[in-house]
Amino acid sequence: MNIETKCLHAGYTPKNTEPRVVPIVQSTTYVYDSTDDVAAVFDDPTRSLIYSRFANPTVMAVEEKIAALEGGVGAMCTSSGQAASLLSLLNILKAGDSFISTTAIYGGTINLFAVTLPRMGIECIFVSPDCTEEELNAAFKPNTRAVFGETIANPALTVFDIEKFAKAAHAHGCPLIVDNTFPTPILCRPIEHGADIVTHSTSKYMDGHAVQVGGVIVDSGNFDWTNGKFPEFTEPDESYHGIIYTKTYGKAAYIIKARMQLMRDFGCYPSAQSAFYLNLGLETLAVRMKQYCENAMTVAKFLESHEKVESVNYPGLESSPYHALAQKYLPDGCSGVISFVIKGGRPAAVRFMDSLKLASNEVHVADIRTCVLHPASATHRQLTDEQLVAAGINGGMVRFSVGLESIDDILDDLRAGLAAV
Ligand SMILES: *Cc1c(COP(=O)(O)O)cnc(C)c1O
């Protein structure tokens, strides 16, 4: 199946007289004919369903669809993108370990990596997304066991050089984890470029309609967990009758371990109802992503030629320092989020924002409706003008998430907003 077809058909194939649409199985529990059947499923939870804290038929249909879209051997949904980032790492790391991440990642992920994981004894070594191969290789320590980056960073809009980071990670016996939220598998499939694990906040384009918060972890099945660095995969798990994940589950060791250990213990699994909404979004993902890219490119070019705009940041523009990487990794488009700086700093940006009629003022991005955020008044509100400059945020900067309205209406709204400045 091609990717457009997978969006509609992967993960659920109804049999004779079964519902055409994936059913919402809103049940915590599943029944068994005998005590022996229950015992067997506790020996190997992949054989059947036990409890909706870590497996549910509606959610599993969506997991299979996303694994197919990314080209992985399996996937596990989580109750948020943050939970996906956390579990993707906790499945590999323990207190005393370190991992490498670029600094160009989502703000919530920065907080998780820089503040919360260190409290659990896990160190994050930050590197610049633009570091040289020598600098990257020098960042590894003997206890480093994973590398993390974001395909198109939210909100920096840098493009991650997946192959460069995969090469360094693999040379050090570590897996590469890529947060692929902004491109979605329609625009980039990191596994094809050497990523071992892919994560998403499904709250963004995958859902697209802003109706559910969710996340997902996809396992490529390609990483060799038996290289000596990962005893949790190759030694018996006493919490599961001595199962050895790499022996029993082969290529799917990582994703099955994540479900059997972490989802069992942390329980951050989405509800069937949420997975149903996510599936509706996924069905139209291929069509929507094409239109987001087309609308965003038109908006980026319009802004770039506008006299009241100081600069535009969009990897699809030739003026972007990430244009070459975008052409390599994102040949079909760079998604729908743009950031730009209005001349006149903070007051000009506020005036522009408050004059928009169509674009709504929201903290969300990647919605089907155009939305806009002024970082200096919202996510970075506590900072003074001087601190903003130090943090690399211009008071005049606006983050614009282009929606699927008529491009003429979006441009009219922008024209009116800029005219008010
Ligand atoms: C939003 C976002 C997250 C966090 O996801 P939630 O679903 O909000 O928990 C992680 N990574 C990226 C790139 C995001 O945009």
Side-chain angles (χ1 to χ4, degrees):
M1 286 192 279
N2 287 303
I3 201 153
E4 295 83 356
T5 314
K6 284 181 188 167
C7 283
L8 288 156
H9 293 282
Y12 177 66
T13 311
K15 298 189 198 75
N16 193 29
T17 77
E18 283 183 353
R20 183 68 202 88
V21 176
V22 65
I24 302 171
V25 182
Q26 196 72 33
S27 178
T28 58
T29 354
Y30 308 89
V31 290
Y32 304 94
D33 285 342
S34 70
T35 319
D36 275 352
D37 285 342
V38 180
V41 92
F42 270 85
D43 279 342
D44 181 358
T46 61
R47 285 167 59 143
S48 179
L49 293 160
I50 300 183
Y51 190 46
S52 292
R53 193 204 303 135
F54 46 81
N56 167 279
T58 312
V59 186
M60 289 167 95
V62 177
E63 288 167 341
E64 204 178 314
K65 176 174 285 186
I66 295 173
L69 292 174
E70 286 286 6
V73 293
M76 180 176 79
C77 284
T78 56
S79 54
S80 70
Q82 284 298 103
S85 304
L86 174 67
L87 296 197
S88 74
L89 287 160
L90 286 189
N91 203 28
I92 305 170
L93 306 165
K94 59 181 182 316
D97 290 340
S98 70
F99 68 105
I100 291 172
S101 171
T102 80
T103 49
I105 50 174
Y106 174 65
T109 315
I110 296 227
N111 206 66
L112 172 66
F113 290 2
V115 180
T116 302
L117 285 179
R119 282 189 189 136
M120 300 163 78
I122 296 169
E123 182 200 2
C124 178
I125 303 161
F126 283 106
V127 296
S128 157
D130 308 321
C131 63
T132 64
E133 282 190 41
E134 292 69 38
E135 286 164 343
L136 181 53
N137 283 312
F140 284 82
K141 295 184 183 175
N143 68 354
T144 299
R145 304 216 296 163
V147 179
F148 189 99
E150 222 169 273
T151 322
I152 301 177
N154 173 16
L157 305 179
T158 53
V159 179
F160 185 56
D161 192 342
I162 303 170
E163 287 174 15
K164 177 175 86 178
F165 280 80
K167 190 175 152 206
H170 296 159
H172 293 267
C174 297
L176 175 65
I177 306 174
V178 176
D179 179 337
N180 196 36
T181 296
F182 270 16
T184 81
I186 304 302
L187 301 178
C188 179
R189 288 175 297 284
I191 291 171
E192 292 173 5
H193 299 286
D196 302 289
I197 294 142
V198 176
T199 61
H200 286 272
S201 164
T202 63
S203 325
K204 313 293 165 55
Y205 289 114
M206 277 192 166
D207 161 1
H209 299 73
V211 292
Q212 62 93 49
V213 170
V216 70
I217 305 171
V218 184
D219 181 2
S220 71
N222 294 335
F223 190 76
D224 178 15
W225 302 103
T226 65
N227 70 4
K229 267 181 114 101
F230 304 94
E232 303 86 349
F233 288 80
T234 54
E235 287 170 12
D237 177 0
E238 294 315 329
S239 76
Y240 262 118
H241 323 288
I243 273 182
I244 296 176
Y245 291 100
T246 47
K247 228 184 210 163
T248 310
Y249 300 113
K251 274 183 161 300
Y254 172 87
I255 202 69
I256 290 180
K257 177 176 168 299
R259 192 185 300 272
M260 285 171 62
Q261 291 180 333
L262 298 180
M263 200 52 92
R264 174 197 64 190
D265 291 357
F266 291 115
C268 46
Y269 203 59
S271 71
Q273 188 80 35
S274 286
F276 179 82
Y277 291 136
L278 172 57
N279 188 51
L280 288 183
L282 289 170
E283 289 182 335
T284 58
L285 186 64
V287 187
R288 287 188 292 109
M289 291 317 293
K290 285 192 184 99
Q291 194 62 45
Y292 284 122
C293 292
E294 196 182 307
N295 283 3
M297 198 63 200
T298 309
V299 167
K301 284 184 175 155
F302 165 81
L303 290 170
E304 198 168 42
S305 66
H306 200 285
E307 80 227 2
K308 289 187 183 170
V309 174
E310 193 174 296
S311 62
V312 184
N313 183 12
Y314 183 62
L317 289 174
E318 273 172 43
S319 59
S320 163
Y322 295 95
H323 187 63
L325 284 175
Q327 284 192 310
K328 175 171 179 180
Y329 294 111
L330 302 153
D332 297 327
C334 296
S335 214
V337 182
I338 296 169
S339 67
F340 62 101
V341 176
I342 300 182
K343 290 178 186 163
R346 191 195 288 248
V350 170
R351 178 111 184 90
F352 164 78
M353 299 272 302
D354 290 344
S355 306
L356 295 171
K357 297 232 155 35
L358 183 67
S360 48
N361 221 314
E362 290 174 28
V363 179
H364 195 47
V365 273
D367 190 6
I368 200 161
R369 292 150 286 248
T370 296
C371 53
V372 67
L373 175 81
H374 183 226
S377 306
T379 45
H380 296 73
R381 174 162 191 73
Q382 70 283 11
L383 306 187
T384 63
D385 283 353
E386 292 72 38
Q387 285 174 319
L388 278 177
V389 173
I393 291 181
N394 188 307
M397 189 177 109
V398 169
R399 186 180 73 185
F400 200 80
S401 175
V402 184
L404 298 189
E405 299 91 347
S406 150
I407 185 64
D408 295 332
D409 292 335
I410 298 171
L411 292 178
D412 279 350
D413 199 34
L414 279 168
R415 271 188 207 104
L418 287 165
V421 173

